[in-house]
Amino acid sequence: LVSYLRRHDLVSGRGVCQGYFGPALIGYFVGLNCTIAALCIMHMGQPALLYLVPGTLGTTLVISLCRGELGLLWEGKAAPVRLQEDEESSGGPSSAE
């Protein structure tokens, strides 16, 4: 999932923080820390995917729903970059000439 999100961000022309890759990576990190904490607390092994999947997939679903891009992400289509749209509609640098 994380590598798919990185490819989707590259195709969409988004940076790490503006796309889905950065938040999914943070979700993975949080899920991994939860796995280690559960191991230390319960003193027995835990299935890592129990914590990693909600951290990555949950983060991705929430962000894509908030942006209204879940359908585009599901179909693998490039999402529009909102920063460029805002500059063009507000008479930004691209229309100053």
Side-chain angles (χ1 to χ4, degrees):
L1 175 64
V2 177
S3 62
Y4 171 77
L5 295 174
R6 179 64 180 147
R7 185 189 67 79
H8 187 270
D9 288 349
L10 290 174
V11 169
S12 298
R14 291 185 171 168
V16 174
C17 294
Q18 294 82 22
Y20 293 98
F21 177 72
L25 204 57
I26 292 169
Y28 186 90
F29 177 74
V30 169
L32 193 59
N33 283 329
C34 289
T35 302
I36 293 169
L39 173 67
C40 291
I41 291 170
M42 297 180 204
H43 300 290
M44 62 172 35
Q46 300 291 314
L49 291 179
L50 182 66
Y51 302 98
L52 296 178
V53 171
T56 55
L57 187 59
T59 303
T60 303
L61 286 175
V62 168
I63 292 173
S64 64
L65 285 172
C66 290
R67 292 179 181 170
E69 298 175 353
L70 182 59
L72 294 173
L73 190 63
W74 184 264
E75 294 173 5
K77 296 181 181 177
V81 180
R82 299 200 191 283
L83 181 62
Q84 291 174 352
E85 288 177 356
D86 293 341
E87 286 179 2
E88 291 171 3
S89 64
S90 65
S94 61
S95 62
E97 296 179 33

